Amino acid sequence: MIELTIITAHYNNIEGLIKTYKSISSQTYKKWKLYIVDSFTPKIKNLIGKEILNDPRVKLYKVKSSIYDAMNFGILMATSKYIQILNSGTTYHSRFSLEKSMNIIEKLHIKNGVMLHFFNMQVMAKDKILYINKPSRFSHPLRCGHEAAIYPNRLKGKILHYHKYKIAADLGFIIDNADRYKTVYHDFIFVNYPKGGYSDSKDKFFEKLLSHLIILKELLIRNKISASILLMTRILKDLIRNYFFK
């Protein structure tokens, strides 16, 4: 049974953190560790409760950092063969999700070695399903959920979230991993993701636009024409919404 390290970057979202932990702890797959990297949320130990603090599989690190630096800290601390990014509020689709995915990964790992695995991600808004992201070779890295993936992890030469990608460092992380590892796409829902994260903030519109242009350049360099067209379409739609449908 392969061990999985789950990395949760956190700041001041106790309700979401507890929700994520309960989803993880309810999984039928038990060979996991959870690294919570918290940016000094006031009184966090009092707020999260004894269940989390007393769980030997959970480590709470307090690091003053940005969200992507917090993820990088967790990656640098991880020693397992595979990792997952699962932020506060994100949950597994069912209590069997981790067992189903890790059993598949273990079989493929034995047969083919280390691989990068993507799954479908259900995007939610207040318990309402908005849409389902289905990753594919055609659209990669778009529609690849950052948190709906199991990433290989090395002890040395680790892949991190780089600031050159700015607010789209999650997409950059996916691109960099796919450059190194053979990629597999699995057609079933793995996680439920609550829409409204850091990059979805309205005040981050221009930063997000610039980040997408940086990602577009990376896609064109790699000759990913289909994904480039999809991203250009997304950029155009965002511009229209921002200037004509405020």
Side-chain angles (χ1 to χ4, degrees):
M1 190 178 284
I2 295 176
E3 183 176 71
L4 176 70
T5 299
I6 302 161
I7 299 161
T8 299
H10 174 266
Y11 177 70
N12 208 28
N13 181 13
I14 298 297
E15 182 180 350
L17 179 60
I18 293 172
K19 187 176 182 180
T20 298
Y21 167 76
K22 287 189 177 296
S23 178
I24 298 169
S25 62
S26 71
Q27 292 298 299
T28 53
Y29 192 86
K30 299 300 182 183
K31 198 169 179 61
W32 54 263
K33 291 180 180 178
L34 172 61
Y35 290 175
I36 301 171
V37 186
D38 176 70
S39 186
F40 287 89
T41 298
K43 299 180 180 179
I44 184 172
K45 288 188 176 181
N46 295 331
L47 294 171
I48 60 176
K50 292 183 179 180
E51 183 181 2
I52 297 176
L53 290 174
N54 294 336
D55 191 328
R57 300 167 295 182
V58 178
K59 290 187 177 181
L60 174 63
Y61 297 100
K62 302 188 83 172
V63 181
K64 192 69 176 177
S65 67
S66 68
I67 185 169
Y68 290 126
D69 286 339
M71 293 173 189
N72 288 342
F73 179 89
I75 293 169
L76 290 170
M77 296 299 293
T79 57
S80 57
K81 285 187 173 67
Y82 289 91
I83 61 171
Q84 183 185 7
I85 307 296
L86 204 67
N87 287 329
S88 301
T90 302
T91 59
Y92 291 110
H93 187 59
S94 80
R95 60 190 298 266
F96 305 105
S97 294
L98 206 50
E99 182 174 14
K100 181 178 181 180
S101 60
M102 292 305 294
N103 284 344
I104 293 171
I105 288 170
E106 184 167 14
K107 289 176 183 178
L108 290 174
H109 183 90
I110 292 169
K111 183 178 179 181
N112 301 313
V114 176
M115 302 175 80
L116 172 61
H117 298 266
F118 289 102
F119 304 85
N120 296 348
M121 181 174 76
Q122 189 165 261
V123 181
M124 313 285 291
K126 297 180 180 179
D127 296 324
K128 180 181 178 182
I129 301 170
L130 296 179
Y131 54 88
I132 296 172
N133 264 348
K134 293 187 176 185
S136 69
R137 297 189 188 281
F138 173 79
S139 61
H140 184 96
L142 308 180
R143 298 174 186 162
C144 292
H146 184 226
E147 299 176 52
I150 302 292
Y151 303 93
N153 180 50
R154 292 183 174 188
L155 295 181
K156 295 182 179 180
K158 291 174 182 267
I159 296 173
L160 302 173
H161 299 81
Y162 296 112
H163 288 286
K164 68 177 182 178
Y165 296 117
K166 298 186 182 296
I167 203 171
D170 52 351
L171 275 176
F173 184 70
I174 290 170
I175 290 171
D176 292 341
N177 270 278
D179 283 347
R180 180 179 291 181
Y181 300 108
K182 184 177 179 181
T183 303
V184 187
Y185 304 93
H186 305 280
D187 191 17
F188 60 88
I189 299 172
F190 186 35
V191 299
N192 299 329
Y193 170 77
K195 189 171 177 58
Y198 177 71
S199 62
D200 290 326
S201 302
K202 289 183 179 180
D203 63 330
K204 301 293 181 183
F205 174 78
F206 290 106
E207 187 179 349
K208 186 175 182 180
L209 178 63
L210 177 59
S211 300
H212 280 166
L213 291 174
I214 294 169
I215 295 295
L216 179 60
K217 178 184 175 182
E218 296 293 327
L219 295 178
L220 291 171
I221 288 171
R222 291 165 174 78
N223 201 31
K224 292 186 175 293
I225 305 302
S226 299
S228 297
I229 292 171
L230 285 172
L231 184 53
M232 284 188 283
T233 303
R234 181 184 293 182
I235 291 170
L236 181 60
K237 286 181 177 179
D238 286 344
L239 285 168
I240 291 171
R241 287 194 199 100
N242 187 67
Y243 287 104
F244 297 101
F245 296 98
K246 285 186 177 181

